[in-house]
Amino acid sequence: MRRVLLLGLLALLVAPLAIAQPLAVETYTLPNGFTVMLNPDATATEVSGAVMVKAGGKNDPADATGIAHYLEHLLFKGTQEMGTSDYEAEKVHLDRIVELYDEAAATTDPEARQALYTEINQEALAASEYGMPNEFDKLLKSLGSTGINAFTSSDITFYYNNFPAHELPRWLDLYSHRFENPVFRSFQSELEVVYEEKNRSMDAFQNRLIETFNAEVFKGHPYGDQLILGTIEHLKNPSLTKMYEFFKTYYVANNMALILSGNFDPETAKPLIAEKFGDWRTGEVPEYPDYPKRRFEKKQTLDVRLTPIAVSLMGFKTVNDTHPDRFGLDVVAAMLSNSASSGFLDEISLEGKVLQAGMFNNSMQDDGVSIVIVVPKPVVQSFKAAEKLVLAAIEKVQEGEFTDEDLAAVKSTLYKDFQSSLESVDNRAVQMGFCFSRGLSWDDYLKYPEMVASITREDVMRLAEQYYGDNYFAMYSKTGFPKKEELEKPSYEPVTTDQNAESGYARAFASMEPALPEATFVDLAKDVTRMELEGGNKLFWTENPINDIFSLEMEFQVGTRTLPSLEPIADVLNLAGTSEYSATELKKQFASLGASFYFSVSRNYFTLSVDGIEENLAPTLALVNQLLTDTEIPQDAIKTTAEGIETNREVESSTPDAMGSVLFQYGLRGEASQYL
């Protein structure tokens, strides 16, 4: 029955598809220096729109860290015309709040500072009689917007959401207006939100681990010396004046970009963009200091207790995100660990030599590091023993102990990952933004597969030797947690606002006539090909209009709702081999075709997911068929899975978000919870 299903797929998919090219991006600059990046894609169902600023946590003043992130929050709170019923009356109290925060920042007496914060609260209550800080969000939702959000990294700040194409004129009006004459209302109330985000960050051991790691690897640079969320002391004593200065300095047309990706007409958009964004002010952006990049002369170590399980991190200093070596270093990293689980580090994980090992490159604008994460086998394995296995894997790459086929497989995997990342307009918009921040053209970005393909085995060996020597940083975290300082929420009188009031801008916005939507509905008879297969199985197939990557899901109509034991079975099958191939060899066989597989389970379905390169579909399906009809479970797979589940439970029990999910599932399903 399974063989018939795969043969049916092969009959439909073996012929090459006519691939459309919705990846073209037009980039231009308005007279005021504002960058516009347009990616029309007629295959999309919506538009992903964003405004990006080339400033992030690294640009925070050293004595006021967290400002870039806090500002991100406040730019959802309206302007002098939006989010207020009477700005002139509100402004009296807002101006006084700025003065009081400056006084508080200059005060060292805790009691005097608290008295000032109490007075700020009274002014905030008075200002709230006029303010409507949630109006911007309501107006976006009135367009049918989804995914309304923003993020701040060390290098950039990115504001984004998705919306229907026919609402483009009103979306442009709203997004251009939000950055003109913004008002940082609800500053004190929003501080509680930032406090909570900081507390959650400190609760998550992963964040503490990476922050401690970065502080050593990037010492002397804001990447290591400053936190994006800010220090506790700086969050307790914020400065509105410094925040306005940050906005005036970095939020200027020549330091920002508009990004649109999706189903819109660029010729309709261009005059609207010029009208809405063309009058933004231009400013002189300070030249960023050239901080020295830390390099390790020899191996350096740090022992900590930050995690619920033993974890080690190894950091090898590499290059920034525009350095020519970045392509070769991606290949080196993929030789060790990749999405197809075919690297040398993946191999020691699959064979149960360590509980888990993986690697990724973290290349930012100013510096970079390649990070190896290793979880030793509980109780029986030391950090030193696990690290020895990692170094042996790296040495294999340095010595060229890999075949040309291994190298080709890694390149195919990187090609598949790159192409797949561009299928979503959301992710495409983010990548367009990264091009803007790095000073790269979109055409240069699309050359990534070509650059990876040009890397030779000699390049791989040379780069592995050059960057992965014995001058690395190793951090060993034993089980334990440091004492955590928690930001207590201030006990101020809560601010309330009239949620039904409207600003003058909102009334004018509502009067703008939106264009009628041009809906294109899915025609299941034409857009989806169906086949009834032997044994009652059904096949549904549709074309990928973006690239030459295929995705296949085989769903079996049984899940944990009826068979709870399917969850560990899926984990075990991800470590499976066949009578012809061991688990490691099977992963490499899939990788040689630019493909990978993954078993998963939900409450209602047991699923095998396969993706790969279309021209290799036939041999990939042959491998899938072999996996399903000739499955062999390695001797240690069940033990490795059990150790992994036990470790995951330890991690979950120490992670508030995970425990929240555990309690929710128990409240929802009782004894039938997947965690029991």
Side-chain angles (χ1 to χ4, degrees):
M1 180 173 66
R2 292 167 178 160
R3 185 180 299 275
V4 171
L5 171 61
L6 293 176
L7 290 175
L9 281 168
L10 181 57
L12 277 173
L13 301 181
V14 72
L17 297 176
I19 302 297
Q21 295 294 333
L23 299 182
V25 172
E26 180 181 0
T27 302
Y28 63 95
T29 305
L30 298 181
N32 62 350
F34 186 68
T35 298
V36 180
M37 303 183 76
L38 304 179
N39 168 232
D41 178 1
T43 70
T45 59
E46 58 188 352
V47 181
S48 179
V51 166
M52 179 178 174
V53 189
K54 287 196 286 188
K58 73 178 185 183
N59 303 99
D60 286 339
D63 61 350
T65 57
I67 275 186
H69 173 253
Y70 198 173
L71 176 59
E72 169 214 308
H73 281 246
L74 292 173
L75 281 166
F76 283 82
K77 302 304 177 183
T79 67
Q80 294 177 9
E81 294 82 32
M82 176 175 58
T84 182
S85 59
D86 186 344
Y87 177 65
E88 291 305 318
E90 182 189 25
K91 185 175 185 297
V92 174
H93 304 289
L94 295 176
D95 288 347
R96 179 57 181 154
I97 289 172
V98 173
E99 294 172 359
L100 290 169
Y101 267 113
D102 285 343
E103 290 180 34
T107 301
T108 57
D109 182 0
E111 291 186 4
R113 180 177 289 165
Q114 185 57 47
L116 289 168
Y117 286 157
T118 300
E119 187 177 349
I120 288 171
N121 183 231
Q122 295 304 308
E123 292 290 346
L125 290 168
S128 70
E129 295 182 15
Y130 312 99
M132 295 165 282
N134 296 324
E135 187 172 65
F136 172 75
D137 189 70
K138 289 172 63 177
L139 292 176
L140 271 180
K141 289 178 178 177
S142 74
L143 306 181
S145 295
T146 58
I148 301 168
N149 213 330
F151 68 82
T152 303
S153 73
S154 292
D155 296 317
I156 65 168
T157 309
F158 197 83
Y159 302 83
Y160 62 95
N161 70 269
N162 291 0
F163 60 92
H166 72 281
E167 288 285 13
L168 177 64
R170 294 207 296 171
W171 185 89
L172 290 171
D173 189 87
L174 193 53
Y175 252 64
S176 65
H177 183 79
R178 79 182 294 189
F179 296 104
E180 293 185 288
N181 302 314
V183 174
F184 302 158
R185 53 178 59 90
S186 298
F187 186 86
Q188 192 176 58
S189 300
E190 196 63 25
L191 188 59
E192 293 188 36
V193 177
V194 175
Y195 274 21
E196 183 58 30
E197 192 170 347
K198 179 69 174 179
N199 283 331
R200 290 201 310 270
S201 173
M202 292 188 292
D203 283 339
F205 73 86
Q206 300 94 330
N207 290 338
R208 294 196 304 271
L209 193 67
I210 291 298
E211 287 173 0
T212 305
F213 179 83
N214 285 345
E216 292 295 326
V217 170
F218 297 118
K219 183 179 289 186
H221 188 286
Y223 288 162
D225 297 346
Q226 298 183 182
L227 300 175
I228 294 172
L229 293 181
T231 65
I232 290 177
E233 184 60 31
H234 292 164
L235 288 177
K236 285 181 177 179
N237 301 286
S239 170
L240 262 169
T241 296
K242 289 181 179 179
M243 192 165 294
Y244 273 111
E245 289 174 356
F246 189 97
F247 175 81
K248 291 175 182 177
T249 299
Y250 295 105
Y251 281 67
V252 290
N254 49 306
N255 199 46
M256 301 174 72
L258 170 71
I259 298 160
L260 295 174
S261 177
N263 191 6
F264 68 96
D265 176 18
E267 298 310 313
T268 301
K270 287 178 183 179
L272 292 171
I273 292 169
E275 175 190 348
K276 303 298 182 184
F277 295 88
D279 61 352
W280 276 18
R281 64 187 177 88
T282 300
E284 184 175 346
V285 180
E287 185 175 348
Y288 193 71
D290 184 16
Y291 290 97
K293 298 175 178 61
R294 186 176 191 189
R295 293 292 182 264
F296 297 98
E297 298 300 323
K298 59 181 181 179
K299 177 183 176 182
Q300 294 192 23
T301 64
L302 178 66
D303 295 315
V304 295
R305 289 185 179 272
L306 296 172
T307 51
I309 57 172
V311 178
S312 68
L313 273 67
M314 301 165 64
F316 299 85
K317 291 305 293 288
T318 54
V319 298
N320 71 355
D321 56 15
T322 57
H323 194 284
D325 283 349
R326 69 188 187 278
F327 305 105
L329 286 169
D330 279 354
V331 176
V332 172
M335 291 295 301
L336 291 162
S337 180
N338 58 65
S339 63
S341 300
S342 65
F344 290 123
L345 290 179
D346 300 317
E347 182 176 336
I348 64 175
S349 295
L350 286 169
E351 295 177 356
K353 295 179 180 178
V354 296
L355 191 59
Q356 186 176 343
M359 169 186 259
F360 65 93
N361 285 334
N362 182 23
S363 294
M364 297 183 284
Q365 283 185 5
D366 304 332
D367 203 355
V369 62
S370 189
I371 304 174
V372 178
I373 301 177
V374 188
V375 181
K377 293 173 70 68
V379 182
V380 299
Q381 190 174 46
S382 66
F383 286 125
K384 183 177 180 181
E387 188 170 312
K388 184 177 180 180
L389 291 169
V390 170
L391 295 176
I394 292 174
E395 187 176 358
K396 288 183 179 180
V397 181
Q398 293 170 332
E399 297 296 326
E401 295 180 23
F402 53 88
T403 66
D404 291 342
E405 289 75 17
D406 291 334
L407 179 57
V410 161
K411 292 179 180 181
S412 293
T413 297
L414 290 173
Y415 173 84
K416 180 199 68 176
D417 293 345
F418 177 81
Q419 297 294 351
S420 298
S421 72
L422 296 178
E423 292 180 358
S424 157
V425 293
D426 302 48
N427 194 57
R428 207 181 302 160
V430 172
Q431 296 307 319
M432 290 162 64
F434 284 146
C435 284
F436 167 67
S437 69
R438 296 165 182 165
L440 298 175
S441 73
W442 183 249
D443 288 341
D444 286 339
Y445 180 75
L446 291 181
K447 290 178 182 176
Y448 179 83
E450 178 184 332
M451 300 303 294
V452 165
S454 70
I455 302 299
T456 65
R457 66 181 293 110
E458 289 75 23
D459 292 331
V460 172
M461 295 166 61
R462 173 180 56 81
L463 292 170
E465 185 70 33
Q466 179 179 346
Y467 290 99
Y468 295 90
D470 56 7
N471 56 333
Y472 61 92
F473 171 67
M475 187 170 80
Y476 309 116
S477 177
K478 295 181 179 179
T479 304
F481 297 99
K483 184 177 180 181
K484 188 191 75 171
E485 181 181 357
E486 187 164 337
L487 274 165
E488 293 185 11
K489 291 186 178 181
S491 56
Y492 302 131
E493 187 175 344
V495 172
T496 58
T497 58
D498 184 355
Q499 298 296 324
N500 296 316
E502 280 189 323
S503 67
Y505 175 86
R507 289 190 292 272
F509 185 81
S511 69
M512 295 174 62
E513 287 291 335
L516 293 176
E518 296 181 6
T520 302
F521 297 100
V522 174
D523 186 339
L524 294 178
K526 295 180 180 179
D527 299 329
V528 179
T529 301
R530 304 182 181 196
M531 282 185 63
E532 292 287 339
L533 303 178
E534 186 177 325
N537 293 308
K538 295 180 175 63
L539 170 67
F540 301 89
W541 171 80
T542 188
E543 181 178 328
N544 178 354
I546 305 296
N547 53 41
D548 61 344
I549 305 301
F550 74 84
S551 298
L552 164 68
E553 287 199 351
M554 299 180 64
E555 292 189 338
F556 301 85
Q557 292 182 335
V558 59
T560 55
R561 185 162 59 95
T562 52
L563 287 176
S565 61
L566 283 177
E567 186 169 2
I569 288 174
D571 293 335
V572 169
L573 285 174
N574 285 318
L575 303 176
T578 67
S579 62
E580 184 178 358
Y581 301 115
S582 68
T584 298
E585 291 169 342
L586 184 63
K587 298 284 189 184
K588 289 187 175 183
Q589 286 296 315
F590 272 92
S592 70
L593 301 171
S596 60
F597 71 89
Y598 184 73
F599 288 94
S600 61
V601 64
S602 65
R603 281 183 55 78
N604 298 309
Y605 292 99
F606 189 86
T607 304
L608 169 60
S609 302
V610 183
D611 59 8
I613 300 171
E614 182 187 312
E615 67 178 10
N616 295 329
L617 178 62
T620 300
L621 291 180
L623 273 179
V624 171
N625 198 66
Q626 185 176 353
L627 171 63
L628 291 175
T629 59
D630 186 26
T631 309
E632 287 200 356
I633 306 299
Q635 185 174 359
D636 292 335
I638 295 176
K639 180 181 178 182
T640 299
T641 299
E643 290 175 342
I645 292 173
E646 183 178 351
T647 299
N648 286 339
R649 290 292 184 261
E650 290 182 22
V651 171
E652 288 166 351
S653 66
S654 304
T655 308
D657 286 349
M659 288 305 298
S661 177
V662 170
L663 292 172
F664 175 79
Q665 290 295 327
Y666 183 76
L668 184 66
R669 300 190 172 95
E671 296 300 318
S673 168
Q674 67 194 67
Y675 291 98
L676 297 179

